[in-house]
Amino acid sequence: MYLRGVARLDTAAREREVSTWIADEATWRRAIVEPYRALWPDYMRSFDARVPALVARLGTAGAITTRRHYAGDARGTLAQGRLRWAEPVQAPSYVAELAGAPIDTVFIFDGAHWRVLAGLDEIVLAHVKSLDRACGGLVELAGALGPCTEVGWVIADAALRADDVRFAHACKLAATLCGNRSP
C-alpha cells in the first residue's frame, strides 16, 4: 500500500513525497464542487504549511489502514465529514488511520498520483468565521450525520456563494441545532 511505503521513507524523502500531494488546478476542478472550487488559490498558498504535520504524522510507528471516505463515517473526524461537502456525491476519496488514529485529511487519486485536501477545511471555516465568528464556531461542531451537519453545509455553501440572507438564516438555525453540542 502506498502510504505504508511513504511512512517507511526517511524524513527528507517523506517530505519530498508529501509535497507532491498538492492538487493541481485541473485535478481541483474535477474533484471539487462549486462553490469550493474558488478556494483553489487559498489551498495552493496554504499547502506548504500543511506538509510538516503530515510528514511528522506519517513518521509515527503503527499500522496504516485506509477506507473509502463517505458522509457519516463514525470513525472519521469532523473535518473529514465537512470535507465531504466539497466533493461530488459518491466521489471516490479515501481516509486513512495510523496506529488506530485518523490522519486528519482526505485523499483523492487524480488518475496518476495521490493528492490530499489538507487545509481546505480550515480555509472554509476561516471564511465562515470572517463573516460571523460565532456561526463559524457552530460549523466546527458539524461533520457527523445529523441536523447540525446539514445546517453546517448550508452555512458553508451560503458563505462561499456570498448569499447573506441564506447565511444569516442558517446561522440562526445552527444556534439551535448545534449550539447545545460540544466538539
Side-chain angles (χ1 to χ4, degrees):
M1 161 205 247
Y2 172 70
L3 281 178
R4 288 185 197 124
V6 174
R8 285 192 285 265
L9 297 171
D10 65 50
T11 303
R14 199 167 51 247
E15 184 171 351
R16 282 190 300 277
E17 185 63 23
V18 171
S19 294
T20 70
W21 291 355
I22 190 166
D24 63 22
E25 189 170 14
T27 299
W28 190 264
R29 298 238 172 261
R30 278 191 312 275
I32 303 300
V33 299
E34 287 296 337
Y36 292 80
R37 285 186 193 139
L39 300 176
W40 185 74
D42 296 328
Y43 165 80
M44 290 292 295
R45 280 190 296 276
S46 71
F47 187 83
D48 288 344
R50 308 294 174 186
V51 170
L54 288 166
V55 169
R57 181 75 178 101
L58 287 168
T60 305
I64 296 177
T65 59
T66 60
R67 65 183 180 282
R68 287 292 298 263
H69 176 227
Y70 63 91
D73 181 354
R75 292 183 358 216
T77 67
L78 292 177
Q80 289 169 339
R82 290 187 298 268
L83 284 171
R84 193 70 232 169
W85 304 340
E87 299 177 83
V89 174
Q90 295 187 349
S93 57
Y94 295 83
V95 294
E97 291 182 353
L98 174 58
I103 298 172
D104 201 6
T105 192
V106 172
F107 294 81
I108 58 175
F109 192 69
D110 69 5
H113 302 285
W114 286 102
R115 309 297 181 192
V116 292
L117 302 182
L120 179 56
D121 181 56
E122 292 88 347
I123 293 165
V124 173
L125 289 173
H127 190 73
V128 172
K129 287 179 180 181
S130 74
L131 300 173
D132 184 322
R133 184 160 274 310
C135 187
L138 295 171
V139 174
E140 285 182 301
L141 301 174
L145 283 181
C148 181
T149 294
E150 292 166 12
V151 76
W153 171 82
V154 174
I155 292 166
D157 189 74
L160 295 174
R161 292 179 191 277
D163 186 336
D164 297 339
V165 172
R166 190 167 156 241
F167 178 81
H169 177 70
C171 286
K172 286 179 186 175
L173 290 173
T176 302
L177 298 173
C178 306
N180 61 353
R181 299 179 46 180
S182 60

